Amino acid sequence: MILPLVLAVICWLAGFDILYALEDIEFDKDYGLFSIPQRFGIRRSLNIARVLHFITFGLLVLNGVLFGLGSSMELACSL
């Protein structure tokens, strides 16, 4: 029952890690490091991060449904 929450945290973390890696894209290229922004470019990396954050949102909503959070979950999602 806690699996959606675990997956939400993983997707959230991965999405923000990609955003932070965008700051180091030139460093990664110069030193031959492999990162998502270096491999896919800025635009595609932003799209990947966006998808991961949408998945996070969906998993958090699912988690709220599974735990029966009801109206408090709906209020949090509307913010």
Side-chain angles (χ1 to χ4, degrees):
M1 206 159 147
I2 198 163
L3 185 61
L5 182 59
V6 171
L7 293 175
V9 171
I10 291 170
C11 289
W12 174 70
L13 177 67
F16 273 107
D17 190 52
I18 292 169
L19 294 177
Y20 288 130
L22 287 169
E23 297 177 11
D24 299 326
I25 191 168
E26 293 302 320
F27 182 87
D28 293 350
K29 287 179 182 178
D30 292 343
Y31 288 91
L33 301 175
F34 301 102
S35 66
I36 289 176
Q38 191 269 344
R39 169 95 164 93
F40 295 108
I42 293 173
R43 176 170 283 192
R44 290 175 86 187
S45 296
L46 288 171
N47 286 334
I48 292 168
R50 182 178 292 121
V51 167
L52 286 167
H53 284 107
F54 277 124
I55 291 170
T56 299
F57 180 77
L59 288 168
L60 290 174
V61 169
L62 176 61
N63 193 61
V65 170
L66 290 175
F67 282 97
L69 298 179
S71 59
S72 61
M73 179 196 63
E74 292 170 8
L75 175 64
C77 289
S78 67
L79 298 175

